[in-house]
Amino acid sequence: SQQGEEDPQALSIQEGENATMNCSYKTSINNLQWYRQNSGRGLVHLILIRSNEREKHSGRLRVTLDTSKKSSSLLITASRAADTASYFCATAPFGETSGSRLTFGEGTQLTVNP
Amino acid sequence: GAVVSQHPSWVICKSGTSVKIECRSLDFQATTMFWYRQFPKQSLMLMATSNEGSKATYEQGVEKDKFLINHASLTLSTLTVTSAHPEDSSFYICSCLKRAHDEKLFFGSGTQLSVL
């Protein structure tokens, strides 16, 4: 079952602005991952944050994780038109071995206007 | 890198026919492959988990006789939609786990199936 909820469902911003997307989940996790999907394409892994981590950076991406609130946020700084895509969070259940199946959130459609 | 090839990218078929979708890991061996279904503007729904040389594990509500999965090698898994009907029209995506990167998935580019 899908346990991730993301908000907003859709976000439209201007190039250069920052974009923040949030993800909430229901059960304990091993790690949380963010993926990007361009329209009609497969998903691309962006970043992984483990349950014992609180913040992680990768280029223009910043991910936070609050396990007490069962929530995560993805911040994209200095957005570009090429960042236009759907963004999904995905959780790996706590206690399962690596390679366990991920549960994906509902996704946020980001539109960056030039 | 890790490249996953999914073929075909799109297929149109008549109702009642069967359609086979291939998922190949091109430059690595995939310990496990996953098959998803995605409706427009919605999330990915996991259909089944496929391990090389063993039977696929299907999610609740997914008909195993309808969606046949074969994982004959560490680099190839196939999904066959048997006796397709218009309600099977959807975007199907595969993903692969790569040894030493077992926590993140590498995705194929997806297959858009339209059943007339």
Side-chain angles (χ1 to χ4, degrees):
Chain A
S1 62
Q2 301 294 334
Q3 74 154 342
E5 295 183 4
E6 294 182 57
D7 78 273
Q9 287 188 333
L11 179 61
S12 182
I13 59 174
Q14 295 300 121
E15 221 169 13
E17 294 180 341
N18 296 340
T20 300
M21 290 159 268
N22 302 294
C23 168
S24 61
Y25 56 93
K26 297 176 183 174
T27 60
S28 297
I29 61 171
N30 195 340
N31 65 67
L32 185 144
Q33 304 176 35
W34 285 89
Y35 287 82
R36 167 197 166 122
Q37 182 182 33
N38 284 50
S39 181
R41 306 289 292 175
L43 279 70
V44 175
H45 181 269
L46 295 176
I47 195 166
L48 179 153
I49 186 166
R50 302 186 191 284
S51 59
N52 61 352
E53 297 176 310
R54 291 297 167 257
E55 187 171 313
K56 205 162 184 179
H57 297 254
S58 177
R60 292 185 295 113
L61 305 180
R62 173 179 168 250
V63 170
T64 62
L65 179 64
D66 187 336
T67 52
S68 66
K69 295 181 179 178
K70 291 187 168 58
S71 67
S72 173
S73 68
L74 171 68
L75 168 68
I76 304 175
T77 60
S79 64
R80 305 165 182 167
D83 294 329
T84 295
S86 291
Y87 292 82
F88 293 91
C89 66
T91 53
F94 177 78
E96 294 193 24
T97 57
S98 64
S100 61
R101 51 191 181 78
L102 299 179
T103 299
F104 286 83
E106 298 300 316
T108 294
Q109 172 62 50
L110 173 65
T111 302
V112 181
N113 302 299
Chain B
V3 180
V4 178
S5 172
Q6 187 172 339
H7 178 82
S9 299
W10 57 269
V11 58
I12 302 173
C13 69
K14 292 182 179 180
S15 189
T17 60
S18 294
V19 174
K20 180 185 283 189
I21 303 170
E22 289 188 351
C23 181
R24 292 180 185 272
S25 55
L26 297 185
D27 54 356
F28 67 98
Q29 292 183 331
T31 53
T32 304
M33 292 185 176
F34 302 92
W35 287 96
Y36 306 83
R37 185 173 179 174
Q38 186 180 32
F39 292 103
K41 299 189 187 303
Q42 293 190 24
S43 186
L44 281 72
M45 291 174 49
L46 180 64
M47 299 174 66
T49 302
S50 172
N51 292 294
E52 184 263 342
S54 62
K55 289 184 179 180
T57 303
Y58 289 81
E59 295 298 303
Q60 193 171 11
V62 177
E63 300 175 57
K64 58 182 66 176
D65 294 332
K66 172 76 171 175
F67 300 99
L68 299 179
I69 292 173
N70 182 276
H71 195 156
S73 76
L74 282 170
T75 60
L76 174 64
S77 177
T78 60
L79 167 67
T80 301
V81 183
T82 61
S83 187
H85 290 283
E87 58 265 29
D88 298 324
S89 298
S90 188
F91 192 61
Y92 293 87
I93 314 175
C94 70
S95 69
C96 303
L97 279 172
K98 177 182 178 182
R99 286 189 182 126
H101 293 79
D102 275 355
E103 292 174 304
K104 68 178 183 181
L105 298 175
F106 298 92
F107 281 82
S109 55
T111 298
Q112 180 63 54
L113 170 64
S114 297
V115 185
L116 304 178

